[in-house]
Amino acid sequence: LITGYVFIRRQLLRRLRVQSDLSKVTQIQKTLLESAAMALIAIDKDGKINLFNPAAEKLLGYTAGEMIGKQPGVFHDPGE
């Protein structure tokens, strides 16, 4: 019983460390994308925008809120 408790506790602590590390990496990525001077637009396989950084907002005149989830064929080549 004690062995099982120790195993579960270790697994939970490991999971918490991994979640914390992932959270830190996610925050770093978000900061980099938001502070990039270059316009960055990412689309999914269906051509829907899922990333539209502030530099893209300035360049194109649209907010991320207006563009994320949209499927403007202009950014997507279905043959790719």
Side-chain angles (χ1 to χ4, degrees), residues 6-70:
V6 170
F7 174 77
I8 290 171
R9 185 170 188 275
R10 284 184 184 161
Q11 292 298 315
L12 288 173
L13 290 173
R14 182 178 162 274
R15 180 175 288 179
L16 288 173
R17 280 193 302 274
V18 168
Q19 287 175 336
S20 176
D21 291 347
L22 181 58
S23 188
K24 288 175 189 173
V25 168
T26 301
Q27 185 57 46
I28 290 169
Q29 288 175 336
K30 182 178 178 186
T31 300
L32 287 170
L33 292 171
E34 288 178 353
S35 64
M38 183 183 296
L40 298 170
I41 301 167
I43 59 172
D44 63 18
K45 64 181 176 66
D46 297 319
K48 290 182 184 173
I49 294 175
N50 57 24
L51 176 102
F52 199 83
N53 77 339
E57 291 179 328
K58 288 180 187 175
L59 178 69
L60 299 173
Y62 297 100
T63 67
E66 292 173 299
M67 297 304 291
I68 293 189
K70 300 288 192 291

